Amino acid sequence: MLLSKLAIVDSTLREGEQFFKSNFSTSDKIEIARGLDQFGVEYIEVTSPRASPQSYQDCQKLVQLDLQAKVVTHIRCHLEDAKIALDTGVDGINLFISTSQILRQFGHRKSIEEIIDIATEVISFIHQQNPQAELRFSTEDSFRSSLSDLLRVYLAINKLGIVNRFGVADTVGIATPHQVYQLIQNMRQCFCEDIEFHAHNDTGCAIANSFTAFEAGATHIDTTVLGIGERNGITPLAGLIARLYTLDPQTLNNKYSLSYLHKLNQLVAEKIELSIPFNHCIVGEAAFNHKAGVHTKAMLNNSRTYEAINPTDFDLNRSILINHKLTGKNSINHRAIQLGLNLDNFQIQAITQTIKNLADRQKMTLENVDEILLSSQKNM
């Protein structure tokens, strides 16, 4: 499980366009694509150029930006979709087709044999037209598909010797980490090609499932900034980064521009006209705030006591909150030192109790605390 081998396929400009608040203009897409490239994602996935005339034009413009990231598009396993995608000059084409019984019955109405035939035709056509195009073949709704059907499809396509990687999609967010691990391991035992994982967050398991897929042998993980996407969205980029950071922060720092992550999330939040959730991993307002006295005492001694992630790696700051009834004498003393005050232990204890008593009855601000500390110095 080497972080250096992992590739992020960011789908903010494809899956993210399906978010109910999204309505990206061409200029928005260009700005977001440049931001994703600055952060360092390996792939930027964009909406199918067949979706609309503007989608086609936007796809072409994004390809022409001369980004370090590969620009790939996500299309149905249709010959016409493939022809239009090839016309845009994208670096790669991500094909998908439903394999679950429910989506085959109420969606495309194809049998497993027909799925294999269609996929074979489209994949062969793309390769004939552009042998350099990177190809991913993905089954939609993988976790409501039978394992035998999935492996039958994957192995048939693998025999073509054309596809660069195979995709697994938890399309309705139904999978558990255990199920993800089992499926990815089964696939890894059947072929050596790369495996991409796409996790929806309907049951809150997207980050856990994506990390588990990586543990089991997946090489590519799909994300969006802020986790935006269809319904509750997919694995948030910051969430995946947070989970991976605890494994090997140095490799992650070398691989991605971590200090740009907050700005990237702010950019997308601005485009969809929503605030970053307070509890969002790393970039949320609450991420590095410490309040309880026991916590703040330990934090002042060693920040690793209550932080698994170092905010300075992301160009962020931690806050030691003292304007509340849970405050402790150590954090009050720390603030006194910051203000250049020289108060003894008895004074600090008395001031701490004063702040607690006041905070029980009213809302306190840092300015209120500072006034109490400064007035204590004057009364010495």
Side-chain angles (χ1 to χ4, degrees):
M1 188 171 62
L2 297 174
L3 283 184
S4 58
K5 302 290 186 181
L6 176 69
I8 293 176
V9 181
D10 190 86
S11 190
T12 303
L13 298 181
R14 195 281 295 176
E15 178 74 51
E17 275 212 292
Q18 296 170 217
F19 181 58
F20 80 111
K21 285 278 189 177
S22 295
N23 187 25
F24 299 135
S25 66
T26 301
S27 61
D28 288 340
K29 292 180 184 180
I30 291 172
E31 196 174 353
I32 291 169
R34 290 194 186 282
L36 290 167
D37 197 52
Q38 183 171 340
F39 176 75
V41 300
E42 289 81 4
Y43 295 83
I44 296 173
E45 185 179 65
V46 302
T47 297
S48 169
R50 198 180 181 190
S52 73
Q54 190 62 53
S55 296
Y56 179 87
Q57 294 171 29
D58 290 346
C59 190
Q60 285 186 313
K61 289 179 180 178
L62 293 172
V63 169
Q64 295 165 6
L65 290 180
D66 193 29
L67 305 173
Q68 291 297 311
K70 293 182 179 180
V71 177
V72 297
T73 189
H74 179 85
I75 68 168
R76 298 171 300 176
C77 206
H78 285 190
L79 203 55
E80 288 306 311
D81 286 24
K83 291 176 181 177
I84 294 172
L86 285 165
D87 284 343
T88 64
V90 288
D91 298 305
I93 297 176
N94 294 347
L95 302 118
F96 76 94
I97 192 165
S98 309
T99 49
S100 67
Q101 180 62 41
I102 190 169
L103 289 184
R104 284 192 284 132
Q105 181 180 352
F106 295 102
H108 55 63
R109 298 183 180 275
K110 300 289 191 300
S111 67
I112 294 298
E113 293 80 6
E114 290 173 307
I115 287 172
I116 292 171
D117 289 342
I118 292 167
T120 298
E121 179 187 16
V122 176
I123 290 168
S124 298
F125 173 80
I126 293 172
H127 185 67
Q128 289 167 2
Q129 297 300 311
N130 184 1
Q132 282 72 48
E134 194 167 316
L135 278 171
R136 181 213 72 191
F137 172 78
S138 179
T139 60
E140 186 185 25
D141 206 14
S142 309
F143 291 90
R144 290 193 297 180
S145 304
S146 74
L147 179 60
S148 60
D149 284 344
L150 284 176
L151 294 181
R152 185 178 168 194
V153 172
Y154 288 134
L155 291 172
I157 301 305
N158 191 44
K159 286 181 181 178
L160 298 174
I162 295 172
V163 173
N164 300 94
R165 66 184 180 277
F166 292 96
V168 178
D170 184 17
T171 305
V172 295
I174 200 172
T176 66
H178 180 67
Q179 289 171 321
V180 171
Y181 196 91
Q182 283 188 316
L183 178 54
I184 299 299
Q185 277 216 321
N186 278 323
M187 293 175 64
R188 184 48 71 215
Q189 290 167 6
C190 291
F191 47 79
C192 60
E193 280 71 19
D194 288 340
I195 298 174
E196 181 177 332
F197 183 71
H198 181 92
H200 275 264
N201 203 37
D202 299 74
T203 60
C205 290
I207 297 172
N209 283 341
S210 291
F211 180 72
T212 301
F214 174 56
E215 284 186 305
T219 54
H220 295 61
I221 301 294
D222 292 6
T223 66
T224 59
V225 178
L226 293 174
I228 60 174
E230 194 79 30
R231 304 180 312 281
N232 283 359
I234 68 167
T235 305
L237 175 62
L240 179 67
I241 293 298
R243 179 64 274 175
L244 296 174
Y245 180 94
T246 63
L247 294 182
D248 187 352
Q250 187 57 54
T251 297
L252 210 63
N253 253 313
N254 294 336
K255 195 171 173 59
Y256 302 111
S257 298
L258 301 186
S259 62
Y260 187 70
L261 184 63
H262 190 225
K263 290 180 182 177
L264 178 58
N265 279 264
Q266 287 179 317
L267 170 64
V268 174
E270 178 185 308
K271 299 302 182 186
I272 59 176
E273 299 181 348
L274 286 177
S275 299
I276 297 174
F278 76 90
N279 60 344
H280 202 72
C281 295
I282 299 173
V283 298
E285 185 180 3
F288 300 107
N289 278 289
H290 302 275
K291 185 174 180 180
V294 173
H295 286 238
T296 56
K297 176 185 177 181
M299 284 295 298
L300 291 171
N301 291 326
N302 188 326
S303 63
R304 289 184 297 170
T305 53
Y306 285 100
E307 279 181 352
I309 297 169
N310 187 346
T312 60
D313 282 340
F314 298 86
D315 200 23
L316 297 170
N317 299 311
R318 70 177 59 89
S319 294
I320 304 295
L321 305 177
I322 60 175
N323 54 310
H324 54 85
K325 63 184 177 183
L326 303 179
T327 195
K329 64 179 182 180
N330 291 281
S331 52
I332 295 298
N333 186 54
H334 179 71
R335 181 59 179 169
I337 293 171
Q338 286 182 324
L339 294 173
L341 305 179
N342 184 22
L343 302 174
D344 61 32
N345 187 55
F346 177 80
Q347 289 173 304
I348 291 295
Q349 286 182 326
I351 292 168
T352 302
Q353 193 57 51
T354 297
I355 293 168
K356 286 175 174 286
N357 292 340
L358 286 171
D360 269 340
R361 304 192 302 270
Q362 67 187 56
K363 183 177 181 180
M364 297 282 288
T365 65
L366 180 60
E367 289 73 21
N368 296 148
V369 174
D370 287 351
E371 286 173 9
I372 294 170
L373 284 165
L374 291 167
S375 64
S376 297
Q377 178 74 31
K378 291 176 184 177
N379 294 331
M380 287 179 61

